[in-house]
């Protein structure tokens, strides 16, 4: 039976029942793309294995692709014998990618016994996927796993060198598409031009400021090119002038340089507009593109229902004439579009005769009003990649569905085809990494522009006090996975990266947040005035609080033991405090748990601190339609602070305020200093009094 599968894999689905009746129903559920994958995977498999492979193809989400061949091996070794077994294997793989993975919920199931070897092989092929305690847990649940094998896995995990981000490029293995392969003469010409170098590109759209999510691409492309002695383009995808501004163009280049990268070339998609326009003309003349008059809603409805445009068979000469007249500015914006004639019934919606060009009468930041028609991103992007001889076109997973369109365009234009690979989009908890949604928050007045320090835009992170080194360290730790766009990285990992860097570099100073004045009676004739923090004072004492309370002794650090005699209130809050010096003896000072920071009134100056916390109360605001309702209303708190006046404070200087965290000088106005809080201390380092 298996001998009939391959010869007929591309015939219409209704023929399957004639040749493979036992799996006809399964194959009818596969899309053309899945049928191609099925064809690539099968060998001399029996009927049961063919059904499982077909089911596997249906379940191959992006995050499972690295495990495809392991699962296939388990099917052929009969460790996986049913769809249910396969479902359990997939669940375990998804769990094993999660740091909280444990096998509790699968204990005593027969399916788990059948597929335990699948887990073992995953760990052998991908050492480091599990923590040591998780491997021990596997051994507890599966006695078949010998101690020798478990020890080997743990040693492999411990000895596995951390793969640098640039090294990953050499291991990328995308889904195979027949159209992606170059003709020998195209490949030869490409290699001659590039001299065998790796050529990458970072292609942002200048419609907003870059955010943390873009750094993964910056790091992957620029850093990899530098390490592999290749080239990297900074190419602006300026195909939609309605949303593009010069300020965004300038900011992008500035941020790339901030990370220490120098693009080999700085280009614009608009540099290639004449060639891209000629490509559209070529496709019209070959009857592979047509002028359509459907409006947006009609086109959307027809494409969803897999119906052809009523203008699909428009005369080629008429389409050619109208397209040239569109560029001459003879028609309003919504009158015509140029669409590619691919397959309006294709299972991949991006191939259902997509739009290639539309009319826009918007001033372009680079070319002015020269062009009246603009190519869509999908049409221009692949052509630009080809013209620049990009070797690796790297983008995020939401573009994977467009890969077939990418190669269709280049194949039909007979152009060189780069290697395309998609990786997971970066999502960070309690924040938003979407230019469109950030723009919405700016418009609503939720944040104060693109450089608001609560945002994870690069401008916001710079203003907050983050460094390129800390951000790169974060990107290197999260790396370039392909596990789907749903994974959310905890913002605490980013905080830990900047905290670790600053802890080694910045000076520590004693600064007093929310200061309260204290009169320290040295003797009957001497009063010393100092400031302490408000959270070091409580009207009612408790055993776990080591700060100032009435009739309680504490130590002012490096000074002496004092007794709190009186707390004067204003509006039910402490205004100032009277204390009496008891002892300056070192032994007496050491006996007390309460060690309070303070600054002499004569030796400090007033400043202001912007204390930032998470912008959203929820971990994943992106999944909430009205995300603005989840804003943390206390994400910005403004406090008074006293800092030593003996120091010099310049914009950009960073300090650790003891017991409080790390801060940067944001601005100096009329001699007044404004600090932004970068990050607090780690839980283990916090010395705040309770």
């Amino acid at each position: 039976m298996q001998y009939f599968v391959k010869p007929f894999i591309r015939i219409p689905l209704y023929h399957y029942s004639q040749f493979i009746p036992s799996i006809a129903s399964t194959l009818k559920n596969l899309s053309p793309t899945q049928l191609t994958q099925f064809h690539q995977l099968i060998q001399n498999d029996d009927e049961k294995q063919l059904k499982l492979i077909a089911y596997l193809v249906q379940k191959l989400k992006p995050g499972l692709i690295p495990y495809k061949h392991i699962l296939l091996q388990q099917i052929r070794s009969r460790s996986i014998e049913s769809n249910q077994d396969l479902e359990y294997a997939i669940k375990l793989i998804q769990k094993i990618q999660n740091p909280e993975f444990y096998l509790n919920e699968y204990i005593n199931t027969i399916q788990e016994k059948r597929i335990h070897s699948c887990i073992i092989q995953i760990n052998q092929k991908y050492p480091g996927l599990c923590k040591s305690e998780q491997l021990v847990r596997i051994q507890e649940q599966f006695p078949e796993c010998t101690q020798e094998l478990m020890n080997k896995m743990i040693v492999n995990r411990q000895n596995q060198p951390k793969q640098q981000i640039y090294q990953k490029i050499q291991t990328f293995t995308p889904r195979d598409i027949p159209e992606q392969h170059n003709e020998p003469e195209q490949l030869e010409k490409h290699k001659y031009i590039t001299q065998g170098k790796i050529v990458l590109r970072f292609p942002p759209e200048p419609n907003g400021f870059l955010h943390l999510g873009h750094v993964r691409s910056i790091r992957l492309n620029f850093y990899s090119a530098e390490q592999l002695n290749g080239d990297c383009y900074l190419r602006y995808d300026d195909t939609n002038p309605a949303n593009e501004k010069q300020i965004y163009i300038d900011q992008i280049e500035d941020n790339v340089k901030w990370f220490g990268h120098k693009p080999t070339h700085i280009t614009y998609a608009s540099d290639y507009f004449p060639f891209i326009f000629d490509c559209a003309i070529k496709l019209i003349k070959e009857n592979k593109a047509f002028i359509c008059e459907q409006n947006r809603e009609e086109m959307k409805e027809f494409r969803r229902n897999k119906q052809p445009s009523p203008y699909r068979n428009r005369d080629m000469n008429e389409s050619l004439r109208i397209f040239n007249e569109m560029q001459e500015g003879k028609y309003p914006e919504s009158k015509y579009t140029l669409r590619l004639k691919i397959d309006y019934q294709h299972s991949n919606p991006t191939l259902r005769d997509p739009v290639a060009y539309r009319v826009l009468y918007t001033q372009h930041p680079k070319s002015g009003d020269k062009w009246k028609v603009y190519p869509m991103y999908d049409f221009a992007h692949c052509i630009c990649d080809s013209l620049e001889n990009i070797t690796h076109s790297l983008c995020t997973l939401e573009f994977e569905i467009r890969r077939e369109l990418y190669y269709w365009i280049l194949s039909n234009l007979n152009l060189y085809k780069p290697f395309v690979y998609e990786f997971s989009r970066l999502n960070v908890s309690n924040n938003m990494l979407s230019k469109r949604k950030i723009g919405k928050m700016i418009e609503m007045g939720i944040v104060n522009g693109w450089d608001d320090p609560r945002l994870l835009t690069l401008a916001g992170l710079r203003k907050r006090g983050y460094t390129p080194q800390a951000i790169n360290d974060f990107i290197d730790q999260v790396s370039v996975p392909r596990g789907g766009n749903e994974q959310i990285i905890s913002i605490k990992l980013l905080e830990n990266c900047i905290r670790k860097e600053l802890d080694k570099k910045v000076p520590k100073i004693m600064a007093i947040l929310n200061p309260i004045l204290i009169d320290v009676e040295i003797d009957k004739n001497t009063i010393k005035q100092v400031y302490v923090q408000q959270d070091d004072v409580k009207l009612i004492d408790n055993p776990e609080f080591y700060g100032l309370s009435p009739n309680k002794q504490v130590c002012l650090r490096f000074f002496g033991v004092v007794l709190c005699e009186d707390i004067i209130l204003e509006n039910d809050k402490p205004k100032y405090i009277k204390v009496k010096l008891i002892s300056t003896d070192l032994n007496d000072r050491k006996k007390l748990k309460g060690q309070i920071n303070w600054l002499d009134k004569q030796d400090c100056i007033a400043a202001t601190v912007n204390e930032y916390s998470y912008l959203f109360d929820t971990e994943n605001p992106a999944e909430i339609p009205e995300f603005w309702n989840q804003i943390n209303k206390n994400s910005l708190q403004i406090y008074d602070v006293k800092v030593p006046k003996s120091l010099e404070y310049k914009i950009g200087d960073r300090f650790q305020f003891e017991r409080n965290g790390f801060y940067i000088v944001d601005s100096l106005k009329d001699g007044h200093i404004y600090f932004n809080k970068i990050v607090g201390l780690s839980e283990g380092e916090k010395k705040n009094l309770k």
Side-chain angles (χ1 to χ4, degrees):
M1 183 160 22
Q2 57 267 29
Y3 303 109
F4 292 107
V5 176
K6 288 191 177 183
F8 297 103
I9 194 68
R10 293 188 179 277
I11 64 175
L13 290 177
Y14 63 83
H15 284 307
Y16 276 118
S17 59
Q18 301 177 29
F19 302 101
I20 327 165
S22 61
I23 64 167
S25 59
T26 303
L27 294 176
K28 285 179 181 178
N29 293 327
L30 302 185
S31 68
T33 302
Q34 291 171 338
L35 283 172
T36 302
Q37 292 179 346
F38 178 77
H39 172 67
Q40 294 165 351
L41 292 178
I42 60 174
Q43 297 176 0
N44 292 328
D45 301 297
D46 60 28
E47 175 184 339
K48 188 174 185 179
Q49 291 168 339
L50 288 172
K51 287 183 179 180
L52 283 169
I53 294 170
Y55 192 66
L56 171 62
V57 166
Q58 287 180 285
K59 295 292 180 180
L60 273 183
K61 304 296 182 186
L64 292 174
I65 290 174
Y67 308 102
K68 173 176 63 179
H69 292 291
I70 294 176
L71 291 169
L72 193 62
Q73 183 178 349
Q74 295 302 306
I75 290 172
R76 292 194 173 119
S77 68
R78 303 194 186 281
S79 293
I80 295 177
E81 296 186 306
S82 68
N83 288 354
Q84 189 178 15
D85 285 354
L86 185 56
E87 290 278 5
Y88 269 91
I90 289 171
K91 281 184 180 180
L92 285 177
I93 288 173
Q94 291 169 338
K95 287 281 184 181
I96 212 167
Q97 296 177 79
N98 186 325
E100 303 301 323
F101 167 67
Y102 289 106
L103 296 175
N104 306 20
E105 56 193 288
Y106 300 104
I107 292 173
N108 298 324
T109 61
I110 187 170
Q111 290 84 358
E112 150 183 287
K113 291 291 184 182
R114 289 175 178 167
I115 62 174
H116 78 275
S117 58
C118 178
I119 303 171
I120 300 301
Q121 290 196 38
I122 289 170
N123 280 279
Q124 286 178 318
K125 185 164 185 177
Y126 301 96
L129 208 57
C130 283
K131 296 179 181 178
S132 298
E133 60 267 26
Q134 293 168 343
L135 297 177
V136 172
R137 193 62 175 252
I138 291 173
Q139 186 185 24
E140 290 175 356
Q141 304 307 323
F142 304 120
E144 301 93 326
C145 302
T146 65
Q147 185 62 46
E148 180 183 357
L149 179 56
M150 297 301 298
N151 290 340
K152 181 180 178 182
M153 290 167 59
I154 293 172
V155 169
N156 285 342
R157 186 183 68 82
Q158 292 172 342
N159 294 339
Q160 183 75 4
K162 182 174 175 59
Q163 191 177 40
Q164 296 293 320
I165 199 165
Y166 67 87
Q167 295 172 319
K168 287 204 166 237
I169 285 183
Q170 300 163 317
T171 66
F172 288 158
T173 307
R175 166 173 62 94
D176 186 62
I177 297 175
E179 293 79 8
Q180 75 184 27
H181 304 292
N182 287 291
E183 297 297 330
E185 57 272 18
Q186 289 175 328
L187 203 55
E188 195 64 33
K189 180 181 177 182
H190 162 74
K191 289 181 178 178
Y192 175 78
I193 293 171
T194 62
Q195 296 295 299
K197 283 186 174 182
I198 186 171
V199 183
L200 306 172
R201 85 287 180 270
F202 173 56
E205 183 179 357
N207 62 350
F209 283 30
L210 298 182
H211 53 64
L212 186 61
H214 292 101
V215 185
R216 178 176 271 169
S217 184
I218 291 174
R219 185 76 167 158
L220 180 59
N221 288 286
F222 283 105
Y223 181 61
S224 297
E226 291 162 6
Q227 294 298 313
L228 299 172
N229 297 315
D231 294 335
C232 187
Y233 285 73
L234 168 58
R235 185 208 308 147
Y236 294 99
D237 169 33
D238 56 345
T239 56
N240 186 10
N243 298 320
E244 295 159 4
K245 297 179 182 178
Q246 186 62 42
I247 186 175
Y248 300 147
I249 293 173
D250 296 340
Q251 271 288 324
I252 289 169
E253 184 175 351
D254 179 59
N255 279 314
V256 169
K257 291 179 179 178
W258 184 57
F259 279 99
H261 303 304
K262 184 178 180 181
T264 311
H265 306 281
I266 297 178
T267 61
Y268 297 76
S270 56
D271 295 340
Y272 308 107
F273 277 2
F275 183 85
I276 297 171
F277 185 84
D278 290 343
C279 288
I281 295 290
K282 179 179 187 295
L283 292 177
I284 295 172
K285 288 181 177 180
E286 294 177 358
N287 199 29
K288 294 176 181 176
F290 64 96
I291 294 295
C292 183
E293 296 181 42
Q294 287 184 303
N295 62 38
R296 183 190 296 267
E297 292 305 315
E298 289 173 340
M299 192 185 302
K300 183 178 179 181
E301 182 72 15
F302 273 58
R303 293 184 75 200
R304 182 171 59 245
N305 296 328
K306 299 184 179 180
Q307 295 174 290
S309 164
Y311 307 98
R312 196 173 197 269
N313 295 319
R314 188 191 289 271
D315 178 72
M316 177 267 290
N317 290 316
E318 184 181 3
S319 286
L320 195 59
R321 173 183 61 80
I322 294 174
F323 186 59
N324 281 302
E325 290 175 348
M326 288 163 62
Q327 167 56 17
E328 293 167 6
K330 293 186 177 181
Y331 303 109
E333 288 191 356
S334 58
K335 176 68 174 173
Y336 294 116
T337 58
L338 177 69
R339 295 176 63 182
L340 302 179
K341 191 184 290 188
I342 304 178
D343 181 358
Y344 62 86
Q345 292 185 316
H346 203 284
S347 60
N348 184 337
T350 66
L351 294 176
R352 295 176 196 163
D353 296 355
V355 173
Y357 263 91
R358 77 285 202 201
V359 175
L360 288 175
Y361 295 116
T362 303
Q363 191 81 0
H364 190 280
K366 189 168 186 288
S367 60
D369 58 0
K370 178 180 178 180
W371 292 94
K372 310 299 186 295
V373 292
Y374 287 89
M376 300 297 288
Y377 169 86
D378 285 337
F379 190 65
H381 182 70
C382 55
I383 296 174
C384 293
D385 278 354
S386 181
L387 293 177
E388 292 177 351
N389 277 283
I390 302 303
T391 56
H392 295 68
S393 180
L394 310 173
C395 53
T396 46
L397 273 172
E398 61 265 31
F399 293 100
E400 185 183 34
I401 194 173
R402 292 176 157 88
R403 194 192 299 180
E404 289 168 292
L405 175 58
Y406 182 103
Y407 286 127
W408 185 95
I409 293 169
L410 295 181
S411 293
N412 283 276
L413 293 172
N414 196 31
L415 294 174
Y416 157 75
K417 296 181 279 291
F419 171 95
V420 177
Y421 184 83
E422 300 87 2
F423 52 88
S424 297
R425 184 178 63 230
L426 180 62
N427 302 299
V428 179
S429 67
N430 304 94
N431 218 293
M432 188 73 72
L433 295 181
S434 161
K435 286 190 284 187
R436 180 178 61 82
K437 292 180 179 179
I438 291 172
K440 177 74 172 175
M441 288 191 286
I442 294 171
E443 181 185 319
M444 295 175 68
I446 294 171
V447 292
N448 303 316
W450 290 95
D451 64 347
D452 190 302
R454 291 169 291 181
L455 295 172
L456 295 184
T457 58
L458 296 188
L461 286 166
R462 290 174 73 170
K463 191 174 177 67
R464 180 80 174 258
Y466 276 75
T467 66
Q469 295 81 4
I471 296 172
N472 280 336
D473 183 32
F474 169 74
I475 295 299
D476 287 345
Q477 289 192 45
V478 300
S479 194
V480 191
R482 191 180 157 80
N485 281 340
E486 298 76 25
Q487 185 182 15
I488 298 174
I489 305 299
S490 172
I491 196 169
K492 292 183 183 298
L493 178 59
L494 175 65
E495 293 174 337
N496 189 55
C497 291
I498 185 65
R499 187 185 293 117
K500 183 171 64 174
E501 182 188 351
L502 296 181
D503 194 47
K504 299 174 184 176
K505 295 182 177 180
V506 304
K508 293 182 180 181
I509 66 173
M510 206 175 283
I512 307 300
L513 289 175
N514 287 326
I516 295 179
L517 188 63
I518 293 183
D519 286 344
V520 182
E521 181 184 327
I522 307 296
D523 55 46
K524 290 185 178 182
N525 300 315
T526 309
I527 298 293
K528 179 182 180 73
Q529 291 190 310
V530 302
Y531 289 105
V532 297
Q533 287 195 175
Q534 191 175 79
D535 60 5
D536 285 341
V537 179
K538 282 188 177 181
L539 294 176
I540 301 174
D541 195 17
N542 68 69
E544 296 183 351
F545 179 65
Y546 305 129
L548 281 163
S549 292
N551 302 313
K552 181 178 180 180
Q553 290 187 11
V554 298
C555 178
L556 298 181
R557 289 180 68 195
F558 313 119
F559 177 48
V561 178
V562 297
L563 172 66
C564 180
E565 294 185 323
D566 194 9
I567 298 178
I568 291 83
L569 304 180
E570 184 176 82
N571 298 324
D572 296 326
K573 292 183 179 179
K575 182 180 180 182
Y576 74 94
I577 304 168
K578 292 182 177 181
V579 302
K580 183 177 182 179
L581 180 63
I582 302 299
S583 172
T584 58
D585 183 77
L586 180 61
N587 291 326
D588 291 338
R589 285 153 45 191
K590 285 182 176 180
K591 291 176 183 178
L592 294 174
K593 291 185 177 180
Q595 302 284 327
I596 296 178
N597 282 0
W598 58 278
L599 281 177
D600 192 301
K601 183 180 179 181
Q602 303 302 317
D603 298 331
C604 64
I605 55 175
T608 299
V609 160
N610 296 317
E611 289 260 354
Y612 299 105
S613 55
Y614 301 148
L615 184 57
F616 289 91
D617 291 321
T618 183
E619 182 185 65
N620 185 18
E623 67 181 2
I624 301 171
E626 296 183 349
F627 59 88
W628 50 85
N629 291 328
Q630 298 298 318
I631 291 289
N632 174 13
K633 295 179 181 178
N634 296 315
S635 59
L636 170 59
Q637 299 287 320
I638 301 175
Y639 299 125
D640 293 330
V641 63
K642 300 292 183 181
V643 293
K645 69 178 180 182
S646 59
L647 299 176
E648 183 181 3
Y649 300 94
K650 301 189 299 293
I651 293 176
D653 285 349
R654 296 175 177 85
F655 301 91
Q656 180 180 343
F657 292 179
E658 288 193 23
R659 296 177 54 227
N660 290 298
F662 298 90
Y663 297 78
I664 185 171
V665 178
D666 177 57
S667 60
L668 300 169
K669 298 177 182 177
D670 299 325
H672 191 78
I673 308 166
Y674 292 86
F675 291 94
N676 286 340
K677 184 174 184 178
I678 305 170
V679 67
L681 301 175
S682 67
E683 291 300 321
E685 295 172 319
K686 285 180 180 177
K687 305 296 183 182
N688 287 336
L689 300 178
K690 298 181 181 179

